[in-house]
Amino acid sequence: MKAASLILTSMRPGQWVKNTLVFAPLIFAMRVNDPAAVARVSVTFVLFCVLSGGVYLINDVLDRTRDREHPLKKDRPVASGALPA
């Protein structure tokens, strides 16, 4: 696997679904047809995803020794050594 793919995997994009909650105020305020509001919320969503993904990467680096002993976490890119710390 290429490094970029391993980094993306380590950022756990499956968890980003939770970040879609930032769109709720847009929907409840009935501003889904306001391009400026949609753009702001979309940028917020992307920033939340990058930020949460970065936290996952930092956590994986800090916990790599313990994660190597874990039956599931040992296969993560940093713990397995596929992605260097």
Side-chain angles (χ1 to χ4, degrees), residues 40-63:
R40 282 192 303 271
V41 173
S42 296
V43 168
T44 301
F45 171 76
V46 170
L47 291 173
F48 270 42
C49 292
V50 170
L51 205 67
S52 62
V55 170
Y56 281 124
L57 284 169
I58 291 168
N59 181 63
D60 281 353
V61 169
L62 295 175
D63 291 344

Side-chain angles (χ1 to χ4, degrees), residues 9-77:
T9 300
S10 293
M11 292 177 73
R12 298 186 189 69
Q15 298 294 327
W16 297 351
V17 174
K18 295 178 249 180
N19 295 341
T20 60
L21 288 174
V22 300
F23 289 97
L26 191 68
I27 295 165
F28 290 121
M30 293 183 276
R31 295 194 53 200
V32 292
N33 293 323
D34 178 353
V38 171
R40 282 192 303 271
V41 173
S42 296
V43 168
T44 301
F45 171 76
V46 170
L47 291 173
F48 270 42
C49 292
V50 170
L51 205 67
S52 62
V55 170
Y56 281 124
L57 284 169
I58 291 168
N59 181 63
D60 281 353
V61 169
L62 295 175
D63 291 344
R64 67 187 178 274
T65 305
R66 280 177 283 177
D67 287 352
R68 285 184 186 122
E69 304 298 322
H70 193 276
L72 300 175
K73 295 178 183 180
K74 66 180 172 64
D75 296 326
R76 290 181 179 168

